Amino acid sequence: MRKLSQYVVAGWLLAPASAVACPWCGSAISEQVRAEILGGDFAANLAVAALPFPVLLAIVAIVYFWPANATSRERPETKP
Amino acid sequence: MTASALETRDALANRPRLARRPLIAAGMVLGMGLGGFVDGIVAHQLFQVHNMLSARYPTRGVDAETLAVNLEVNMFWDGLFHAFTWVLTVVGLFLLWRAIRQSHVARSGNTLVGSMLLGWGLFNLVEGIINHHILHIHHVIEGPGHLPADLAFLVFGGALVGGGIAMIWADGGRDLEMKA
């Protein structure tokens, strides 16, 4: 038990020395990360990251709604 | 020809025609979503050859602090990319569920798999052309001399499109309908 508490204290003392890099925690790097993500380029980055997806859905919509008689042709039935 | 053979032939000729279009659309969307996951999992995470915005926020040739920031930023946009592919996959599953519950829709495994390959290939072509060649937000293998890998990605996408169309075609020809 005593050893465990020593580990906890040691970990607590060493924790500030380790790097913390996540967008939403309070480290100095995290503030940079947040600034880069949510800065002035956010809308532009969002637009370019999302752009292929509406294009892909538009292609599917074209396939789905293309007039049936433009692609579907009845096969001629053979006479007996 | 016997009367029963004639009846069989007439019955076969008069089978109702089943729509393939809902199945093809569902398979395409499903293939796009799963193809996006392949890109994200294999290229972004397993091999780490690029990230969503790795041409804007490079992760090579930078100091440790910039690397930490850029990795985090790319991780955010990779997450958003995976969110979009997840939505596509869910939409594809919804369309597939709706399609197979309709009695007039064909339930063909070959058409479904062909449509998924077609969707995956279209994903590679559209994502490759827009992100790699027009917007340059990332390249398949980031760094100088990225063109061969970018072109190989497009060729792979084209091959998937060709294979998918061939499977759909083999299953019912040019018609978007097939016999029951």
Side-chain angles (χ1 to χ4, degrees), chain A residues 7-80:
Chain A
Y7 282 129
V8 170
V9 170
W12 182 74
L13 288 173
L14 292 172
S18 61
V20 179
C22 56
W24 317 114
C25 53
S27 72
I29 288 180
S30 78
E31 286 174 17
Q32 284 186 60
V33 173
R34 234 181 4 256
E36 291 290 349
I37 293 171
L38 303 173
D41 290 340
F42 179 79
N45 286 339
L46 181 64
V48 297
L51 184 59
F53 294 93
V55 174
L56 289 167
L57 289 175
I59 293 171
V60 177
I62 289 168
V63 169
Y64 191 81
F65 293 109
W66 196 262
N69 55 6
T71 52
S72 178
R73 293 184 182 160
E74 292 286 336
R75 292 190 188 88
E77 301 293 345
T78 52
K79 299 284 181 196

Side-chain angles (χ1 to χ4, degrees), chain A residues 21 32 45 64 66 73 80, chain B residues 9 21 56 65 72 175:
Chain A
Q32 284 186 60
N45 286 339
Y64 191 81
W66 196 262
R73 293 184 182 160
Chain B
R9 192 189 62 188
R21 205 185 291 248
R56 293 185 178 183
E65 189 172 322
E72 293 284 337
D175 285 358

